[in-house]
Amino acid sequence: MASDRISVHRTLADYREDGCAKIQYPELPDTSVIICFHNEAMSVLLRTVHSVLNRSPDKLLTEIILVDDFSDQDHLKAPLEAYIARLPKVRLVRTEKREGLVRARLLGYSLAKGTVLTFLDSHCECSEGWLEPLLGPIAEDPQTVVAPIIDSILDKSMAYLKSGRSAAHIPIGVFDWNLVFHWGYLPEKDKKLRKDPLEPVKTPTIAGGLFSIDREYFTKIGTYDAGMDIWGGENIEMSFRVWLCGGRLLIAPCSRVGHIFRKTSPYNSIPGKNVFQKNSMRAAEVWLDEYKQYYYERFNYRLVDFGDVSERLALKKRLKCHPFEWYLNNIIPELYVPRDTTAGGEIINMKDGICLEITSRTVHGPVNTYTCHGQGGNQFWLLTTGHQIRRDDHCMRGNGNAVDVEPCAKNNTAQHWLYREDDTLFHIQSESCMDLQDRKPVLAKCSGNRSQKWMWKRRTQAANSVKESSFQQAI
Ligand code: UDP
Ligand code: MN
């Protein structure tokens, strides 16, 4: 409704940083823009299309290919066809059944004529000067995938909110061992090495919805994994593949595209079909080598049937891609790799039988408890040889009587614990034990009470020695 009240041609401010507008690009390749959609709101879809038409140099835009992934809403049938009939560069194709975004994009790719392919979601707004910074690095080296900075369009008001990510706070895409993409920032030491703050930055992963890639390179590098359904995982798979097989992934700080973010993703609610896990498992099976154990351990999804990945493994061989360890050492050396752990899994209180958890990966706040759900995820903790109780980048800390999480810091003794033979979690600094009182973990004088005993799976030395030697070399 908010979108329907706003022009599909609305004006946007110029959100670029000073200096972006002055950059001179060499001869740039032309691009096909591929937008797939499933039941998108009409005005939102059309605003996406017009923002491309209105803000792309005519000679760089070959065509816009809309791929309808089996929508059932009426406005996307004859009314959409009638509307785009007036737009010579826009064409519409439809899948014959619900395919999901990977196979829908592949259908668009099979028809595209442009030198470069630019993929967009169906709820975007391209802002001033968005296209040239995406095409520039491809003109220099076609084995390059380039993503813009993604701004937020609020789903309630359609307000365009420029993200705080900028040349000063350069965003990069990263991931955790659950194989979920999230944003990070370029480490200070890498920032210092940059000569020009506006130049594109190497990123370990891309968010996946919005990027440009040379069409022939897309073919050569194995397009997408067509065995992935509906939504999710394809961006991580492509990120690993591009880096491991000789290409590079960049974020162009001068390209800004707005995207409507939803509160929740609707795709995993299909009963019995955990498509995201299936897709991620395919990525893990093909690219993670022995490191896939860290992914599988985080979740108990071994039982999902991920189908056949032999063709993707053959592609990996044909392209002579690096092993995953190369990516860890060279592309994302900051990522915590849980090699050095002595306990792992859920931490269950022996008196109440409930589990320690945190609500979200970014929260710096109290540790809570909840019924054990047995699926790992937010109840999955690791004990490191450095005495941290860790979840990705967050570690448990004794803070007065309270127990909370904060970013891990090796030498912060408030984060140091022992999991003792008597099943107590001993906080070294305060010489106290983690206790459960009113369903909350607290620090208390060690008493030997059952409320201070925690069940946590201990590891044998052998199980936790994956490539310890090469890890040593890397550091
Ligand atoms: N999409 C699709 N078929 C599907 C699921 C998604 O065509 O089965 C489209 C969707 O309309 C959107 C894009 O793929 O244009 C990415 O999906 P979405 O925006 O829901 O993902 P998010 O941005 O929330 O990660
Ligand atoms: Mn989207």
Side-chain angles (χ1 to χ4, degrees):
M1 199 175 126
S3 173
D4 287 349
R5 296 170 65 156
I6 295 169
S7 165
V8 294
H9 291 275
R10 77 161 161 182
T11 308
L12 295 177
D14 188 339
Y15 301 103
R16 290 173 296 176
E17 313 205 23
D18 292 345
C20 287
K22 293 198 200 82
I23 296 176
Q24 295 286 326
Y25 292 95
E27 179 95 23
L28 292 175
D30 62 295
T31 185
S32 298
V33 173
I34 298 172
I35 302 170
C36 69
F37 62 91
H38 175 77
N39 283 346
E40 189 60 84
M42 183 72 148
S43 59
V44 170
L45 177 63
L46 296 180
R47 194 173 298 107
T48 308
V49 169
H50 284 300
S51 77
V52 174
L53 292 171
N54 293 341
R55 299 195 187 94
S56 309
D58 193 49
K59 75 175 211 297
L60 296 184
L61 182 67
T62 315
E63 60 192 342
I64 299 176
I65 301 177
L66 298 177
V67 185
D68 172 15
D69 186 14
F70 215 60
S71 303
D72 53 21
Q73 294 174 347
D74 288 339
H75 63 262
L76 297 168
K77 303 280 156 61
L80 178 63
E81 283 168 27
Y83 191 97
I84 64 159
R86 302 186 285 120
L87 305 173
K89 282 197 174 178
V90 184
R91 61 183 293 196
L92 171 66
V93 286
R94 301 186 196 269
T95 60
E96 282 166 13
K97 58 178 172 44
R98 176 80 180 273
E99 298 285 4
L101 76 94
V102 163
R103 291 191 294 275
R105 283 180 174 178
L106 287 174
L107 174 60
Y109 150 78
S110 70
L111 303 167
K113 296 191 181 66
T115 310
V116 169
L117 309 171
T118 298
F119 293 99
L120 292 179
D121 277 9
S122 48
H123 33 253
C124 288
E125 276 177 85
C126 302
S127 78
E128 203 54 50
W130 74 290
L131 187 56
E132 293 88 335
L134 297 180
L135 300 177
I138 295 174
E140 247 167 53
D141 173 4
Q143 310 220 64
T144 307
V145 178
V146 194
I149 290 197
I150 306 171
D151 290 320
S152 300
I153 301 172
L154 300 185
D155 62 347
K156 299 274 188 295
S157 63
M158 294 291 123
Y160 190 109
L161 220 69
K162 181 179 169 175
S163 98
R165 303 179 187 115
S166 65
H169 295 284
I170 304 158
I172 53 168
V174 291
F175 70 99
D176 289 326
W177 287 100
N178 54 7
L179 297 189
V180 175
F181 168 91
H182 65 88
W183 291 107
Y185 287 101
L186 192 67
E188 279 301 317
K189 63 173 173 37
D190 296 335
K191 218 164 97 181
K192 289 204 182 92
L193 294 176
R194 283 161 65 79
K195 285 182 221 82
D196 175 0
L198 300 179
E199 81 183 8
V201 61
K202 288 181 187 163
T203 177
T205 64
I206 52 168
L210 294 57
F211 66 91
S212 293
I213 185 169
D214 178 86
R215 182 162 53 86
E216 281 172 19
Y217 176 58
F218 188 61
T219 308
K220 187 184 140 201
I221 198 78
T223 64
Y224 267 130
D225 176 357
M228 290 191 176
D229 301 327
I230 308 297
W231 178 93
E234 88 295 338
N235 57 328
I236 295 288
E237 190 274 341
M238 173 172 238
S239 303
F240 293 164
R241 177 159 44 91
V242 166
W243 278 121
L244 289 171
C245 312
R248 55 178 191 156
L249 290 182
L250 303 177
I251 290 177
C254 285
S255 175
R256 303 196 82 105
V257 178
H259 170 265
I260 304 180
F261 289 92
R262 276 189 275 212
K263 293 270 173 308
T264 54
S265 171
Y267 307 123
N268 262 338
S269 55
I270 308 166
K273 283 209 169 165
N274 206 331
V275 286
F276 181 54
Q277 267 68 43
K278 176 192 162 179
N279 296 348
S280 300
M281 277 175 77
R282 292 182 67 85
E285 289 291 331
V286 175
W287 300 107
L288 256 51
D289 307 328
E290 68 275 27
Y291 290 90
K292 70 185 178 189
Q293 64 167 308
Y294 300 133
Y295 165 69
Y296 283 126
E297 197 188 47
R298 274 286 298 265
F299 292 94
N300 291 329
Y301 287 123
R302 246 178 222 284
L303 296 177
V304 176
D305 177 11
F306 60 84
D308 179 7
V309 293
S310 54
E311 270 182 44
R312 301 305 284 178
L313 287 168
L315 171 82
K316 179 181 178 179
K317 211 166 164 188
R318 196 164 67 240
L319 295 176
K320 300 194 170 59
C321 306
H322 291 288
F324 194 64
E325 189 162 45
W326 179 90
Y327 177 88
L328 294 177
N329 290 340
N330 295 284
I331 306 302
I332 191 162
E334 293 78 20
L335 181 74
Y336 170 65
V337 183
R339 295 176 173 98
D340 55 342
T341 58
T342 52
E346 48 192 16
I347 303 178
I348 309 166
N349 184 266
M350 289 196 193
K351 179 161 173 279
D352 286 9
I354 55 179
C355 276
L356 297 178
E357 69 169 42
I358 47 172
T359 33
S360 91
R361 68 163 297 285
T362 46
V363 80
H364 303 185
V367 174
N368 301 314
T369 59
Y370 199 72
T371 312
C372 302
H373 55 52
Q375 298 198 346
N378 65 341
Q379 296 183 349
F380 182 82
W381 300 94
L382 291 165
L383 181 65
T384 72
T385 47
H387 304 298
Q388 294 164 325
I389 301 178
R390 179 157 191 154
R391 202 202 113 126
D392 298 323
D393 295 334
H394 285 79
C395 283
M396 275 194 209
R397 165 181 72 161
N399 181 17
N401 290 336
V403 180
D404 59 13
V405 287
E406 63 173 3
C408 299
K410 223 161 87 197
N411 299 324
N412 181 351
T413 49
Q415 294 180 2
H416 291 175
W417 305 81
L418 297 176
Y419 183 41
R420 300 192 297 191
E421 285 304 313
D422 64 355
D423 297 321
T424 54
L425 288 168
F426 183 73
H427 188 242
I428 301 171
Q429 191 188 57
S430 62
E431 297 182 17
S432 52
C433 282
M434 198 188 296
D435 200 349
L436 192 72
Q437 294 176 9
D438 298 329
R439 297 177 72 89
K440 270 200 174 6
V442 293
L443 288 180
K445 192 165 181 287
C446 297
S447 62
N449 286 347
R450 226 173 145 66
S451 63
Q452 292 188 357
K453 304 217 171 206
W454 305 85
M455 211 147 55
W456 198 4
K457 201 166 152 207
R458 291 180 201 272
R459 294 193 195 295
T460 59
Q461 223 32 50
N464 102 68
S465 65
V466 168
K467 294 255 171 152
E468 195 75 52
S469 56
S470 47
F471 174 60
Q472 294 299 349
Q473 279 164 22
I475 49 174

